Amino acid sequence: PLPADCREEQYPCTRLYSVHKPCKQCLNEICFYSLRRVYVINKEICVRTVCAHEELLRADLCRDKFSKCGVMATSGLCQTVGASCARSCGGC
């Protein structure tokens, strides 16, 4: 059961697994198997829990830390700090 202000959100994620793959080797007429470790990249859909109170807290911290982004955006000077704002708070 999730709290009232929370929701589950799906997003694409990539996971790396190691598996043991049997490998057949033969010497003349005698064959044997060895297990080799192989890495497999698996693209999956992951689920995370997102809560409104955490999003608001994160937005407040971001706004406090990068207040110049909002000021620049409202004054029309977004392109001068656009790159740093995009990395920090999602853009002007």
Side-chain angles (χ1 to χ4, degrees):
L2 294 173
D5 68 338
C6 296
R7 70 183 187 285
E8 286 189 340
E9 185 178 87
Q10 292 183 342
Y11 64 99
C13 59
T14 304
R15 295 186 185 198
L16 183 68
Y17 295 98
S18 71
V19 294
H20 287 93
K21 181 179 178 183
C23 182
K24 184 178 180 180
Q25 295 177 325
C26 296
L27 284 167
N28 297 329
E29 296 177 5
I30 301 172
C31 294
F32 59 94
Y33 287 88
S34 63
L35 291 176
R36 296 204 176 182
R37 184 179 296 224
V38 178
Y39 293 95
V40 178
I41 296 175
N42 201 9
K43 293 186 178 181
E44 299 177 2
I45 300 294
C46 295
V47 177
R48 64 179 157 219
T49 302
V50 179
C51 296
H53 63 275
E54 291 173 358
E55 287 182 317
L56 290 173
L57 180 62
R58 198 168 325 154
D60 287 344
L61 290 171
C62 191
R63 206 172 15 258
D64 291 345
K65 188 174 180 185
F66 297 98
S67 59
K68 68 177 182 180
C69 297
V71 172
M72 292 295 201
T74 56
S75 64
L77 300 171
C78 185
Q79 61 273 14
T80 59
V81 293
S84 64
C85 290
R87 282 193 302 274
S88 60
C89 299
C92 289

